[in-house]
Amino acid sequence: MTGTLHEAGVPDAASDRTVVGANLSLPLFRALSGVLAGHAYLKVVVDRAQNTWHLLDTRVHPFHVDYIATRVLGMTLDELDANLDAFNSSVYMDPERRFLLGVLSLHTEEEAGGSERPFLVLETTEADTMPGPLLEEFYHYVRGRVDGRLPLLLKPANHGQEQELAAVGEARVPRILSHELFGNRMRTCLNPGEAEGRLRYFRTTAEYESAAADLGWPDIIAMPRLPDDVPRTAGFINTAPTTPLSHTNVLAAGWGIPNAIVRDLDAVVRREGLDGAWVRFSVREDAITLERLPGAPALERPAWHRQRIRIETPLLQQAPILALHRLRRTDRDGYGTKAANLGELHHVLDSRTADLTRFYARPRPPRPDLLGHLAARLGESGASPERLRAAAAERVAETVRAPRGVALPFRLHHLFLTSSPALQQGIGRLKMALELDALDVVDSLSLHLQRLTCSTPMPEEVARAITASVTELIADGRRLVVRSSSNAEDLPGFSAAGIYDSVTTVRGTDQLMDAVRQVWASLLSPRSVRLRHQAGIPLDDTYMGVIVQEYTPADLGGVLVTCDPTRPEDFRNVYLNCTPGSPERVVDGTVLPQQYLYNTVEGGGRTVDLGSSREDLPAATRASLAHLALAGRLLQSHFSEADCDDALDIEWLMTAEGTFHLVQVRPYAR
């Protein structure tokens, strides 16, 4: 790094305008700052040994540690890289550390008269373990050197800092929590990307429904909350809060289209006349923009119009109903990926032989691997690779449970379909309509087949087999959950999130038979038929397996993905959503869940959003969720076959006793 270090005053035009020892005014802040997530920010380093601070020129010094090592301590970057984790520990975790590292960000709040008042927020990095007294020292050092007319608030960077500050009065250290600062932000990235298309803005569901038949691939759909049956288009915009783990955003991620929350869209549309206009829609973590185009661009049909998703030949013979714990991952060609993965989960938990350290063993330049970090998370510092693998398997088995249940193979669905001439004739007509691209009749044929599937009697052979397999599960009137496990979901390039049915309130054999038929019928819904046709998945090769699970009452339930959905390059964090009760309430969007990020490398977690709740979860529960997050990351090492960086999508629930049950493990569509 090159440039001139200035001791005080306003920086000049030199390439590096970093300042040491100066008081911070608003003009100086703006001269040095960069922009992140729409807010100006400035990196600061307090040198306790020299009783001074450094205001870093953001354009020249993007990383605190690089600056400290090279400009303060005289190290080379190669020397820093060779000892990066030890150096990070010395500046982020050592209670006697010399340097205090943080970020100042500039925000505004609206006052009573409509004017805006600027204020500053000070925070550390998410992995910083700064205790309460050090946080207080850091705050007051900065407070004493910032323009007194600018309010300054401290934002705890993780749950540990929140607990540390609980013993420090707010009068001594004024503070703001992350969800308080960002909970009402106007624009939020859900799935990054860029698209050109025609903006179709619907203020109500009724407006959307009246135009739904005319929506196509060049459109960018905007409305308060997109419905789960939204078609595949160029982009999505939500004008009301939602979550990155909603069904519609999982679809957006799988389809590779931009999706964002734009709460000020109505004002933008009215001001610039964008409804129905051709626009360039850009979604990044730090900026979301809508740019009007002069006219319709020369758009080519997207690649997915030509893509053909490969689907394995379904096994329709010699596949009995099996208890979930008897399945393995290789059984997906007879039972579907969902069922096979639950069987594999049983195997991982029972045998404890799987290598769950592959994600951490992967090189992360300049680090050769992250195994030292994993050892710290598991309390196994200095352990051999063999001991670390054993400890990882033990930790996962201690943290999560797999559901009891049975898997109904594709073979039973095939027997059911071939038992009914009416179903065979209807499927033949639907296949012909699809081959001729007669999409105007596809929906009516699909709806007819759905109704016919639900009303066709179950063949005696099939009914007997199902009844015999669930004797223990339905004893004493127990409640069951019936889920889809098709061979046309959880595929690379075709996630099918939210497309097929689950039935969660099943009791007794009659309701079970109805639920199985309903899940089978969802394979023929107009939407699922159209989406598979667009992806080139033949109707002939598509079958539905069914999972029958024991219902487990939940105090808390939700979804975690073993990545940060808005930052694909982030290898540290996993994203977790939850709400009281069933995880279905999270994925179907009926409530806004609490949202958390957990760092599975250095440790620590933080609350992103409280959703519909008015308060955060208790500290003990959040600590338990950290264990769940780590278990999810470890399972990723085993279930991500092609690349151990491929994220998982895990539905989970927590019982009143605090036990976590994983009810679904599948690839996260990205």
Side-chain angles (χ1 to χ4, degrees):
M1 297 180 180
T2 61
T4 304
L5 193 66
H6 298 276
E7 292 302 322
V10 178
D12 63 21
S15 61
D16 182 355
R17 298 177 291 183
T18 293
V19 173
V20 179
N23 287 340
L24 181 63
S25 63
L26 200 53
L28 178 57
F29 176 94
R30 287 178 169 141
L32 296 172
S33 65
V35 176
L36 182 64
H39 297 282
Y41 77 99
L42 173 65
K43 286 182 166 62
V44 300
V45 173
V46 171
D47 186 340
R48 301 171 75 201
Q50 298 295 325
N51 191 30
T52 191
W53 71 333
H54 303 244
L55 308 177
L56 276 55
D57 184 345
T58 305
R59 288 158 288 247
V60 180
H61 303 294
F63 303 108
H64 289 95
V65 293
D66 287 5
Y67 174 82
I68 295 170
T70 60
R71 299 299 298 275
V72 180
L73 301 179
M75 298 169 61
T76 67
L77 286 178
D78 287 342
E79 289 172 332
L80 173 63
D81 287 348
N83 298 281
L84 183 59
D85 287 332
F87 191 89
N88 281 340
S89 180
S90 73
V91 295
Y92 293 124
M93 299 169 190
D94 186 347
E96 303 300 325
R97 68 192 73 174
R98 170 180 170 179
F99 300 103
L100 306 180
L101 283 57
V103 172
L104 280 166
S105 54
L106 182 63
H107 303 261
T108 59
E109 62 179 353
E110 187 173 329
E111 296 187 303
S115 61
E116 290 188 338
R117 182 180 71 146
F119 66 97
L120 291 172
V121 172
L122 175 67
E123 63 182 303
T124 71
T125 67
E126 65 186 40
D128 201 305
T129 61
M130 206 178 285
L134 213 51
L135 286 166
E136 186 173 2
E137 176 187 333
F138 191 26
Y139 173 83
H140 285 292
Y141 190 98
V142 175
R143 173 70 281 177
R145 289 156 181 80
V146 170
D147 187 333
R149 293 169 296 181
L150 285 172
L152 176 66
L153 303 175
L154 180 68
K155 181 165 78 69
N158 50 53
H159 293 148
Q161 289 188 3
E162 287 182 33
Q163 289 181 274
E164 287 289 330
L165 283 171
V168 180
E170 291 205 33
R172 285 157 53 193
V173 179
R175 70 205 64 168
I176 189 167
L177 300 179
S178 180
H179 61 83
E180 295 171 333
L181 184 63
F182 297 118
N184 294 318
R185 65 168 52 168
M186 283 292 107
R187 301 185 181 188
T188 304
C189 168
L190 294 174
N191 192 60
E194 185 173 293
E196 293 182 346
R198 181 179 50 185
L199 183 65
R200 305 292 301 276
Y201 178 32
F202 307 107
R203 291 167 177 82
T204 66
T205 302
E207 286 183 12
Y208 166 81
E209 289 174 346
S210 66
D214 298 324
L215 296 173
W217 61 266
D219 293 321
I220 295 170
I221 302 175
M223 59 187 299
R225 187 177 76 84
L226 280 82
D228 283 351
D229 63 355
V230 65
R232 189 168 186 172
T233 59
F236 295 159
I237 299 175
N238 300 267
T239 60
T242 186
T243 162
L245 300 189
S246 65
H247 270 152
T248 51
N249 196 55
V250 172
L251 290 173
W255 291 338
I257 63 175
N259 186 16
I261 301 169
V262 183
R263 298 173 71 172
D264 60 340
L265 183 69
D266 193 72
V268 174
V269 166
R270 291 179 187 276
R271 182 175 66 246
E272 302 182 23
L274 293 183
D275 193 7
W278 291 92
V279 299
R280 180 177 293 110
F281 177 39
S282 176
V283 178
R284 303 195 311 271
E285 184 193 11
D286 60 347
I288 296 161
T289 59
L290 277 166
E291 175 190 353
R292 187 181 186 120
L293 300 174
L299 296 176
E300 295 184 4
R301 281 183 170 267
W304 56 263
H305 264 274
R306 303 183 298 275
Q307 80 181 129
R308 290 296 177 262
I309 300 297
R310 183 179 176 276
I311 177 172
E312 295 179 356
T313 303
L315 177 64
L316 302 177
Q317 306 295 329
Q318 301 175 339
I321 298 175
L322 289 178
L324 287 175
H325 72 266
R326 294 182 59 192
L327 292 177
R328 293 296 301 273
R329 183 164 39 190
T330 51
D331 290 316
R332 57 182 170 238
D333 60 344
Y335 299 84
T337 300
K338 277 187 193 173
N341 278 357
L342 287 178
E344 188 74 15
L345 177 62
H346 274 280
H347 170 73
V348 169
L349 299 181
D350 293 342
S351 71
R352 306 192 185 188
T353 58
D355 181 3
L356 304 183
T357 67
R358 289 172 55 236
F359 175 88
Y360 290 88
R362 185 170 188 162
R364 309 281 174 181
R367 303 169 179 85
D369 56 58
L370 299 174
L371 290 173
H373 289 283
L374 176 59
R377 302 281 71 74
L378 297 175
E380 294 283 346
S381 296
S384 67
E386 294 76 16
R387 175 55 201 154
L388 206 53
R389 285 195 289 270
E394 291 165 6
R395 173 63 64 87
V396 170
E398 291 166 358
T399 305
V400 302
R401 303 286 182 272
R404 284 204 325 142
V406 299
L408 311 186
F410 300 151
R411 181 178 65 87
L412 296 188
H413 186 209
H414 177 69
L415 290 173
F416 173 78
L417 293 175
T418 55
S419 73
S420 168
L423 279 171
Q424 290 297 296
Q425 291 169 7
I427 290 171
R429 288 194 290 270
L430 179 58
K431 284 169 54 181
M432 184 174 295
L434 291 170
E435 289 169 5
L436 297 174
D437 270 338
L439 299 181
D440 54 333
V441 298
V442 164
D443 286 4
S444 60
L445 289 172
S446 297
L447 286 169
H448 170 71
L449 278 168
Q450 274 195 285
R451 290 191 291 267
L452 191 58
T453 298
C454 290
S455 61
T456 296
M458 193 75 77
E460 186 63 29
E461 174 189 0
V462 174
R464 277 199 313 270
I466 295 174
T467 302
S469 70
V470 298
T471 303
E472 291 185 20
L473 290 176
I474 63 174
D476 306 320
R478 294 175 193 165
R479 180 175 164 184
L480 303 177
V481 177
V482 178
R483 298 179 180 274
S484 67
S485 183
S486 169
N487 64 339
E489 58 185 321
D490 303 331
L491 301 171
F494 191 79
S495 74
I499 292 175
Y500 305 126
D501 284 356
S502 293
V503 187
T504 62
T505 56
V506 177
R507 296 182 189 275
T509 54
D510 290 343
Q511 289 187 13
L512 175 59
M513 297 303 169
D514 289 341
V516 170
R517 281 193 293 259
Q518 180 180 333
V519 173
W520 284 342
S522 66
L523 197 67
L524 295 164
S525 71
R527 183 175 182 235
S528 70
V529 169
R530 280 176 174 265
L531 288 175
R532 290 196 306 272
H533 180 63
Q534 290 173 352
I537 298 175
L539 189 62
D540 272 343
D541 293 340
T542 308
Y543 284 89
M544 179 66 78
V546 178
I547 302 166
V548 183
Q549 291 177 204
E550 182 179 57
Y551 171 75
T552 303
D555 267 18
L556 196 68
V559 180
L560 76 83
V561 293
T562 56
C563 66
D564 179 346
T566 64
R567 297 182 63 211
E569 72 282 1
D570 178 7
F571 61 82
R572 287 176 164 82
N573 288 294
V574 305
Y575 198 94
L576 186 150
N577 282 3
C578 61
T579 191
S582 167
E584 276 77 15
R585 301 178 70 208
V586 170
V587 297
D588 66 14
T590 55
V591 298
L592 284 174
Q594 293 150 314
Q595 302 173 41
Y596 301 91
L597 277 170
Y598 284 96
N599 184 326
T600 58
V601 177
E602 289 89 1
R606 63 189 189 274
T607 304
V608 176
D609 200 311
L610 294 184
S612 303
S613 303
R614 294 187 176 181
E615 58 185 27
D616 208 344
L617 291 170
T621 303
R622 296 194 313 240
S624 294
L625 293 179
H627 292 300
L628 174 65
L630 179 60
R633 175 69 84 202
L634 292 169
L635 288 170
Q636 177 181 335
S637 290
H638 182 72
F639 281 91
S640 300
E641 296 178 76
D643 184 341
C644 61
D645 274 359
D646 290 342
L648 297 182
D649 175 335
I650 299 174
E651 284 189 29
W652 58 272
L653 56 88
M654 186 181 79
T655 65
E657 296 76 30
T659 303
F660 290 109
H661 293 251
L662 307 189
V663 296
Q664 180 175 284
V665 179
R666 64 181 181 181
Y668 178 61
R670 210 180 230 298

